[in-house]
Amino acid sequence: MTAPGLASPEPAGPRLLRGGPIAAEVRAAVAAEVVAFREAHGFVPALAVVIVGRDAPSTVYLHKILDGCRTVGIVDRLIELPEDAGPARVAEAVAALNADPAVAGIIVQMPLPPTIPLRTVIDVLDPAKDIDGIHPLNAGLLALGYEGFLPATAHAAVEILKRSGILLEGRRAVVVGRSNVVGKPAALLLLREHATVTICHSRTVDLARRVRDAEIVIVAAGRPGLITGEMLRPGAVVVDVGINVREGRIVGDVDAASAAPVVSAIAPVPGGVGPLTNAILLTHLMRAARNQAEGRVALGSRSMVPTLPMESMP
Ligand code: NAD
């Protein structure tokens, strides 16, 4: 029984790394930047989203992007193409946005219908407007350690750790998932922060052993409950990126109930990386807008490739 006047002895639980408050700070900074940009350049930049067909989850996600734009005063432009729009029509839409000086950034909503290979977009998309980092030029800049546009989700996953004051340098990190949009770029970003990084994937032998060795774990597998408490090291810091629907609820890739007594901190699902991703995307849009307005990149070009010598990080 609890003594009178004392709080009941609830288990403390891990620290929750919530994306919402960080996202609010990021959005406030972007809103101020939008005002300054308009004063300096006489217009507000636009973010264009191209969607082909009507994939329901993508539609929800894209409306969040458009709402995010409105919150900070960025102009939003939605280009909806029918499911049966062929590759030529998609390429034409992206090319038109490349050529439009009011549009600073372009997102092509994934997944594309099976009739449209990703190459259709990548072959046309201007890397200087590729604010979600899907173009090989931006992926290459990340791999080499140069400034380019990062995939927003991977950026948000690492940013939530940095902004929460989690030490990354010298620590053992495991990323579960090796997709080009989340796992691989998240691993490269952790490497940039001087963590010692292991990437695990669907063919990894003894995933539990790898994960148990890690002080930092980022999980982006799209497998609900894949990572359980007994696979985690006591005191580990975990970022759950997975978004899965189970029994009508959104759940992550980490089994929250068994992980909670083990870890020291967790970015949960929902409420962790998700809310930060869109805010991060808006920062990318403003960087693209500044680069373009200040003539730092010639659009449609290889001019984003740094002229500095490409040196390896020691
Ligand atoms: P993906 O399907 O492209 O890649 C999944 C990766 O997980 C693959 O590399 C695969 O090797 C690995 N994997 C699958 N099963 C595994 C297993 N049993 N053991 C170890 N590794 C395994 O998915 P993605 O696009 O990288 O997305 C990953 C998750 O992140 C999904 O749940 C997705 O919905 C979510 N996501 C969240 C956001 C966000 O803003 N929070 C954005 C994009 C994706």
Side-chain angles (χ1 to χ4, degrees):
M1 200 163 81
T2 309
L6 291 181
S8 59
E10 288 280 319
R15 177 180 169 203
L16 291 181
L17 309 180
R18 293 204 177 278
I22 303 174
E25 275 175 29
V26 171
R27 274 196 299 270
V30 172
E33 251 190 85
V34 172
V35 172
F37 185 96
R38 191 179 46 220
E39 278 168 14
H41 302 289
F43 73 101
V44 174
L47 186 160
V49 185
V50 179
I51 185 161
V52 188
R54 290 213 162 263
D55 175 77
S58 300
T59 311
V60 172
Y61 180 66
L62 99 90
H63 281 289
K64 285 192 176 157
I65 297 175
L66 301 177
D67 288 347
C69 288
R70 288 172 206 140
T71 312
V72 298
I74 287 172
V75 175
D76 59 277
R77 185 95 62 89
L78 174 61
I79 288 86
E80 289 179 284
L81 299 176
E83 180 86 28
D84 61 358
R89 188 146 167 222
V90 174
E92 200 179 294
V94 174
L97 295 167
N98 283 344
D100 185 338
V103 173
I106 304 166
I107 291 171
V108 179
Q109 194 59 46
M110 304 293 161
L112 288 163
T115 47
I116 309 202
L118 183 60
R119 276 227 78 99
T120 310
V121 174
I122 283 172
D123 284 347
V124 187
L125 179 62
D126 188 334
K129 295 192 176 187
D130 169 32
I131 58 168
D132 206 14
I134 66 167
H135 194 283
L137 178 61
N138 284 310
L141 291 172
L142 169 60
L144 294 173
Y146 284 96
E147 283 300 313
F149 288 110
L150 304 170
T153 303
H155 192 184
V158 175
E159 200 61 23
I160 208 167
L161 291 169
K162 287 173 68 182
R163 290 198 182 229
S164 304
I166 305 292
L167 176 71
L168 299 175
E169 183 169 341
R171 298 186 89 184
R172 294 188 303 280
V174 159
V175 178
V176 183
R178 58 172 164 180
S179 72
N180 289 339
V181 284
V182 194
K184 234 182 266 172
L188 288 165
L189 283 172
L190 288 172
L191 191 61
R192 193 181 270 191
E193 297 299 325
H194 313 291
T196 301
V197 186
T198 302
I199 303 177
C200 296
H201 48 78
S202 53
R203 314 263 179 104
T204 295
V205 175
D206 202 351
L207 179 67
R209 184 164 73 84
R210 300 286 170 198
V211 172
R212 204 173 295 117
D213 189 44
E215 297 159 292
I216 310 282
V217 185
I218 294 182
V219 192
R223 300 279 180 276
L226 174 68
I227 304 299
T228 59
E230 60 193 30
M231 297 167 78
L232 290 160
R233 180 183 197 79
V237 175
V238 178
V239 177
D240 191 353
V241 183
I243 297 181
N244 313 287
V245 181
R246 200 181 232 186
E247 290 161 13
R249 285 192 318 127
I250 302 281
V251 297
D253 291 347
V254 178
D255 175 44
S258 63
V262 180
V263 302
S264 62
I266 184 164
V269 174
V273 173
L276 186 55
T277 301
N278 284 343
I280 289 283
L281 201 55
L282 301 175
T283 68
H284 295 184
L285 187 275
M286 288 311 296
R287 186 153 63 83
R290 282 195 309 275
N291 285 346
Q292 292 159 33
E294 292 163 15
R296 262 179 278 153
V297 290
L299 293 175
S301 74
R302 310 259 167 251
S303 65
M304 289 177 67
V305 178
T307 50
L308 301 165
M310 302 258 183
E311 284 163 16
S312 302
M313 197 179 266

